[in-house]
């Protein structure tokens, strides 16, 4: 099987997704009239002003929005975020089927673990047979160069 998505193409997809999320987050913070950077910790008055201006709500919206972006998009009929779609990638389970929302949700949080261990969980993509990161292994997912519904996973690889 030759259609596993490697490390660099996945990095490219993530960069596209990051740009989209930063634009959305900037717009949300602008609506609430707060800076994305936050208040200066050395100035207590600035911290109080920051807390009282809706910054907490803006952070909550952008955090939940980011989680839902990845989970909803990867479990949708498109099987990919905008970045993955732009580069011709999809997320599937090990049988080549579309993943559920709960699996995509869990995959998002498993990515945190991949990053916490000095990004080794992500680096694994470049060195594993099926180009899986730790988060993919935890959630039994694959990222493929394919179109939705036509994954073509050779399940004999998993025997």
């Amino acid at each position: 099987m030759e259609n596993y998505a490697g490390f660099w193409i996945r990095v490219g997809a993530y960069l596209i997704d990051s740009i989209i999320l930063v634009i959305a987050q900037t717009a949300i913070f602008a609506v609430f009239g707060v800076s994305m950077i936050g208040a200066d910790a050395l100035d207590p008055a600035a911290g109080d002003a920051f807390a009282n201006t809706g910054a907490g709500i803006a952070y909550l919206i952008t955090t939940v929005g980011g989680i839902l972006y990845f989970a909803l998009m990867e479990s949708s009929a498109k099987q990919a975020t905008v970045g993955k779609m732009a580069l011709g990638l999809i997320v599937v389970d090990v049988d080549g089927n579309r993943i559920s929302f709960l699996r995509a949700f869990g995959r998002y949080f498993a990515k945190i673990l991949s990053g916490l261990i000095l990004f080794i969980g992500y680096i694994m993509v470049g060195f594993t047979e099926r180009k899986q990161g730790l988060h993919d292994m935890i959630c039994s997912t694959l990222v493929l160069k394919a179109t939705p519904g036509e994954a073509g996973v050779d399940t004999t690889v998993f025997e």
Side-chain angles (χ1 to χ4, degrees):
M1 161 109 27
E2 300 285 327
N3 63 339
Y4 299 115
F7 180 80
W8 290 111
I9 195 166
R10 290 171 70 166
V11 168
Y14 186 75
L15 288 174
I16 293 168
D17 291 329
S18 294
I19 291 167
I20 291 166
L21 288 173
V22 166
I23 291 169
Q25 290 169 345
T26 302
I28 291 167
F29 275 83
V31 166
F32 282 90
V34 294
S35 167
M36 284 180 59
I37 299 168
D40 184 349
L42 299 176
D43 183 1
D48 290 340
F50 185 73
N52 294 327
T53 59
I57 295 170
Y59 272 113
L60 180 66
I61 291 169
T62 57
T63 300
V64 171
I67 294 167
L68 289 176
Y69 171 78
F70 284 99
L72 289 171
M73 295 288 288
E74 291 176 351
S75 64
S76 73
K78 297 285 186 186
Q79 297 176 265
T81 60
V82 174
K84 286 182 180 74
M85 284 188 268
L87 298 179
L89 307 177
I90 61 170
V91 180
V92 297
D93 67 12
V94 293
D95 294 322
N97 300 313
R98 186 170 117 187
I99 62 173
S100 68
F101 173 79
L102 287 177
R103 186 176 298 215
F105 187 75
R107 186 174 182 270
Y108 178 88
F109 286 99
K111 288 178 188 177
I112 294 171
L113 179 60
S114 287
L116 281 176
I117 53 171
L118 304 174
F119 297 96
I120 292 170
Y122 290 111
I123 295 168
M124 290 170 60
V125 171
F127 299 98
T128 57
E129 181 181 354
R130 294 177 282 177
K131 306 294 183 193
Q132 288 178 294
L134 179 61
H135 51 284
D136 293 313
M137 291 177 182
I138 290 170
C139 297
S140 299
T141 58
L142 300 168
V143 179
L144 305 175
K145 298 175 194 172
T147 56
E150 298 177 5
V153 174
D154 179 8
T155 55
T156 61
V157 172
F158 306 111
E159 295 174 357

